[in-house]
Every structure is written in C-alpha cells, then in structure tokens.
Amino acid sequence: MELSISWWAVVVAIVVGLAIAWVWYSDWGLLGPAWRKLTRVTKEDSAKAGKGPFAILVISIIATGLALAVACSIVSAFFGGESVWLALVVGVVAWLGFSLSTLAQHNGFEQKPARLTAINSAYQLVLFLGMATPIGLLQQ
C-alpha cells in the first residue's frame, strides 16, 4: 500500500479551514455573536488573550489538514481509487468518531449549553467536510 499526499491539496484545505473558522466565529459571522453569548467570551477577553488563541487555531487546522490527507490517502489505497466521495466519507467518520464524540462528552460533563455544543460540533462537521473536499479533488 503506497501513500500519496498532495501537498497542494493540504495547503488548499488549510486555507479553506481558516476561511470556514473566520466565517463561522467572526463577530460578524454566522454564529460568532451566539458563540460569544454562550461562552461569555467578550471582545475584551479576546483582545486580552492576544494572538495565542489564533495561533492554536492555525496549528490545529494544519494538523487537521495533514490528518485528513493521510486518512484519505490510506482509504484511497485500500479501495484502489481516489474520489471526492471517499474523502467526504473520511471527513464524516473523523468528525463522528473523534470530534463530535469528544465534544459531546466534554460539554456534557462540563454542563455547557446544548446550543453551544451544536454550534461547535456543526462547525467541526463543516470544517472536516470543507477541508476534505479539496483533498479529495486534488489528491493525486
């Protein structure tokens, strides 16, 4: 089984991932204001935190892009073909098995609002699918 990773696909996936995060959580974005209200993280809190949270975001999205590319390569080698549909399945399985299950566990025990869990887990699903798409389309 030979693994083949397109670094161009990983770079595109990372850019897509950052764009999704920006649109999802920005103060003007889809769910940024609701997220702020549910987490009680104010704009001032974010300003005090500096660039640390953004650095963590970038590093985690890079790790997600690499992990998805490797997983897609393994699945493609196993099935003997490349397909954007296989990449999307990898994205859903990764989200379901790792992201949703972990987030639901932690948020449940930490007694966080169900709406916050829904916002964050939906973001993760969109993120994984959004990043898996260019990997599936560009991985050669």
Coordinates of all heavy atoms in Angstrom, one line a residue, residues 21-57:
A21 N -13.5 28.8 9.6 CA -13.4 29.3 11.0 C -13.7 30.8 11.1 O -14.5 31.2 12.0 CB -12.0 29.1 11.6
W22 N -13.2 31.6 10.2 CA -13.4 33.0 10.1 C -14.9 33.3 9.9 O -15.5 34.1 10.6 CB -12.5 33.6 9.0 CG -12.5 35.1 9.0 CD1 -12.4 36.0 10.0 CD2 -12.7 35.9 7.8 NE1 -12.4 37.3 9.5 CE2 -12.6 37.2 8.1 CE3 -12.9 35.6 6.4 CZ2 -12.7 38.3 7.2 CZ3 -13.0 36.6 5.5 CH2 -12.9 37.9 5.9
V23 N -15.5 32.7 8.9 CA -16.9 33.0 8.6 C -17.8 32.5 9.8 O -18.8 33.1 10.1 CB -17.3 32.3 7.3 CG1 -18.8 32.3 7.1 CG2 -16.6 33.0 6.1
W24 N -17.5 31.4 10.4 CA -18.3 30.8 11.4 C -18.3 31.6 12.7 O -19.3 31.8 13.3 CB -17.8 29.3 11.7 CG -18.8 28.5 12.4 CD1 -19.0 28.3 13.7 CD2 -19.8 27.6 11.7 NE1 -20.0 27.4 14.0 CE2 -20.5 27.0 12.8 CE3 -20.1 27.4 10.4 CZ2 -21.5 26.1 12.5 CZ3 -21.1 26.5 10.2 CH2 -21.8 25.8 11.2
Y25 N -17.1 32.0 13.2 CA -16.9 32.5 14.5 C -16.7 34.0 14.6 O -16.6 34.6 15.7 CB -15.8 31.8 15.3 CG -16.2 30.4 15.7 CD1 -15.6 29.3 15.1 CD2 -17.2 30.2 16.7 CE1 -15.9 28.0 15.5 CE2 -17.5 28.9 17.1 CZ -16.9 27.8 16.5 OH -17.2 26.6 16.9
S26 N -16.4 34.7 13.5 CA -16.2 36.1 13.5 C -17.4 36.8 14.1 O -18.5 36.3 14.1 CB -16.0 36.7 12.1 OG -14.8 36.2 11.5
D27 N -17.1 38.0 14.7 CA -18.2 38.8 15.3 C -19.3 39.1 14.3 O -20.4 39.3 14.7 CB -17.6 40.0 16.0 CG -16.8 39.7 17.2 OD1 -17.2 38.7 17.9 OD2 -15.8 40.4 17.5
W28 N -18.9 39.2 13.1 CA -19.9 39.5 12.0 C -20.4 38.2 11.3 O -21.2 38.2 10.5 CB -19.3 40.4 11.0 CG -18.1 39.9 10.4 CD1 -16.8 40.2 10.8 CD2 -17.9 38.9 9.4 NE1 -15.9 39.4 10.0 CE2 -16.6 38.6 9.2 CE3 -18.9 38.2 8.6 CZ2 -16.1 37.7 8.2 CZ3 -18.4 37.3 7.7 CH2 -17.0 37.0 7.5
G29 N -19.8 37.1 11.7 CA -20.0 35.8 11.0 C -21.3 35.1 11.4 O -22.2 35.7 12.1
L30 N -21.4 33.9 10.9 CA -22.7 33.1 11.0 C -23.1 33.0 12.5 O -24.3 33.2 12.8 CB -22.5 31.8 10.4 CG -22.4 31.7 8.9 CD1 -22.1 30.3 8.4 CD2 -23.6 32.3 8.2
L31 N -22.2 32.6 13.3 CA -22.5 32.2 14.7 C -21.6 32.9 15.8 O -21.7 32.5 16.9 CB -22.6 30.7 14.9 CG -23.7 30.1 14.0 CD1 -23.4 28.6 13.9 CD2 -25.0 30.3 14.7
G32 N -20.8 33.8 15.4 CA -19.9 34.5 16.3 C -20.6 35.1 17.5 O -20.2 34.9 18.6
P33 N -21.6 35.9 17.2 CA -22.3 36.6 18.3 C -23.0 35.5 19.3 O -22.9 35.7 20.5 CB -23.4 37.5 17.6 CG -22.8 37.8 16.3 CD -22.1 36.5 15.9
A34 N -23.6 34.5 18.7 CA -24.2 33.5 19.6 C -23.2 32.7 20.4 O -23.4 32.5 21.6 CB -25.0 32.5 18.7
W35 N -22.0 32.5 19.7 CA -20.9 31.8 20.4 C -20.4 32.6 21.6 O -20.2 32.1 22.7 CB -19.8 31.5 19.4 CG -18.6 30.9 20.1 CD1 -18.4 29.5 20.4 CD2 -17.5 31.6 20.6 NE1 -17.2 29.4 21.0 CE2 -16.6 30.6 21.1 CE3 -17.1 32.9 20.6 CZ2 -15.4 31.0 21.7 CZ3 -15.9 33.2 21.1 CH2 -15.0 32.3 21.7
R36 N -20.3 33.9 21.3 CA -19.8 34.8 22.4 C -20.8 34.8 23.6 O -20.4 34.8 24.8 CB -19.6 36.3 21.9 CG -18.3 36.5 21.1 CD -17.9 37.9 21.2 NE -16.8 38.1 20.3 CZ -15.5 37.9 20.7 NH1 -15.3 37.4 21.9 NH2 -14.5 38.1 19.9
K37 N -22.1 34.9 23.3 CA -23.1 34.9 24.3 C -23.0 33.6 25.2 O -23.1 33.7 26.4 CB -24.5 35.1 23.7 CG -25.6 35.2 24.7 CD -26.9 35.5 24.0 CE -28.0 35.5 25.1 NZ -29.3 35.6 24.5
L38 N -22.9 32.5 24.5 CA -23.0 31.2 25.2 C -21.7 30.9 26.0 O -21.7 30.3 27.0 CB -23.2 30.1 24.2 CG -24.6 30.1 23.6 CD1 -24.7 29.2 22.4 CD2 -25.7 29.6 24.6
T39 N -20.6 31.4 25.5 CA -19.3 31.2 26.2 C -19.0 32.3 27.1 O -18.1 32.1 28.0 CB -18.1 31.1 25.2 OG1 -18.0 32.3 24.4 CG2 -18.3 29.9 24.2
R40 N -19.6 33.4 27.0 CA -19.3 34.6 27.8 C -17.9 35.1 27.6 O -17.3 35.7 28.5 CB -19.6 34.3 29.3 CG -21.0 34.0 29.6 CD -21.3 33.8 31.0 NE -22.7 33.4 31.2 CZ -23.0 32.4 32.0 NH1 -22.2 31.7 32.7 NH2 -24.3 32.1 32.1
V41 N -17.4 34.8 26.4 CA -16.1 35.4 26.0 C -16.4 36.7 25.3 O -16.9 36.7 24.2 CB -15.3 34.4 25.1 CG1 -14.0 35.1 24.6 CG2 -15.0 33.1 25.8
T42 N -16.0 37.8 25.9 CA -16.2 39.1 25.3 C -15.2 39.5 24.3 O -14.1 38.9 24.3 CB -16.3 40.2 26.4 OG1 -15.0 40.3 27.0 CG2 -17.3 39.8 27.5
K43 N -15.4 40.5 23.6 CA -14.4 41.1 22.7 C -13.1 41.5 23.5 O -12.0 41.3 23.1 CB -14.9 42.2 21.9 CG -16.0 41.8 20.9 CD -16.5 43.0 20.1 CE -17.7 42.6 19.2 NZ -18.2 43.7 18.5
E44 N -13.4 42.0 24.7 CA -12.3 42.5 25.5 C -11.5 41.2 26.0 O -10.2 41.3 26.0 CB -12.8 43.2 26.8 CG -13.4 44.6 26.4 CD -14.8 44.5 25.8 OE1 -15.6 43.5 26.0 OE2 -15.2 45.4 25.1
D45 N -12.1 40.2 26.3 CA -11.4 38.9 26.7 C -10.6 38.4 25.5 O -9.4 38.0 25.8 CB -12.4 37.8 27.1 CG -13.2 38.1 28.3 OD1 -12.8 38.8 29.2 OD2 -14.4 37.6 28.4
S46 N -11.1 38.5 24.4 CA -10.4 38.1 23.2 C -9.2 39.0 22.9 O -8.1 38.5 22.6 CB -11.3 38.1 21.9 OG -12.3 37.1 22.0
A47 N -9.3 40.3 23.1 CA -8.2 41.2 23.0 C -7.1 40.9 24.0 O -5.9 41.0 23.7 CB -8.7 42.6 23.1
K48 N -7.5 40.7 25.2 CA -6.6 40.4 26.3 C -5.8 39.1 26.0 O -4.6 39.0 26.4 CB -7.3 40.2 27.7 CG -7.5 41.5 28.4 CD -7.8 41.3 29.8 CE -9.3 41.3 30.0 NZ -9.8 41.1 31.3
A49 N -6.4 38.1 25.4 CA -5.8 36.8 25.1 C -4.7 37.0 24.0 O -3.8 36.1 23.9 CB -6.8 35.8 24.7
G50 N -4.8 38.1 23.3 CA -3.8 38.3 22.2 C -3.9 37.3 21.1 O -5.0 36.9 20.7
K51 N -2.7 37.0 20.5 CA -2.7 36.1 19.3 C -2.6 34.6 19.7 O -2.6 33.8 18.8 CB -1.5 36.5 18.5 CG -1.6 37.9 17.9 CD -0.7 38.2 16.8 CE -0.7 39.6 16.3 NZ -1.9 40.1 15.8
G52 N -2.5 34.3 20.9 CA -2.4 32.9 21.4 C -3.5 32.0 20.8 O -3.2 31.0 20.2
P53 N -4.8 32.4 21.0 CA -5.9 31.5 20.5 C -5.8 31.4 19.0 O -6.1 30.3 18.5 CB -7.1 32.2 21.0 CG -6.7 33.0 22.2 CD -5.3 33.4 21.9
F54 N -5.4 32.4 18.3 CA -5.3 32.4 16.8 C -4.2 31.4 16.4 O -4.4 30.6 15.5 CB -5.1 33.7 16.2 CG -5.1 33.7 14.7 CD1 -6.3 33.5 14.0 CD2 -3.9 33.8 14.0 CE1 -6.3 33.5 12.6 CE2 -3.9 33.8 12.6 CZ -5.1 33.6 11.9
A55 N -3.1 31.4 17.1 CA -2.0 30.5 16.8 C -2.4 29.1 17.0 O -2.1 28.2 16.2 CB -0.8 30.8 17.7
I56 N -3.2 28.8 18.1 CA -3.7 27.5 18.4 C -4.7 27.1 17.2 O -4.6 25.9 16.8 CB -4.4 27.4 19.7 CG1 -3.4 27.6 20.8 CG2 -5.2 26.1 19.9 CD1 -4.0 27.8 22.2
L57 N -5.5 28.0 16.8 CA -6.4 27.7 15.7 C -5.6 27.3 14.4 O -5.9 26.3 13.8 CB -7.3 28.9 15.4 CG -8.1 28.8 14.1 CD1 -9.3 27.9 14.3 CD2 -8.6 30.2 13.7

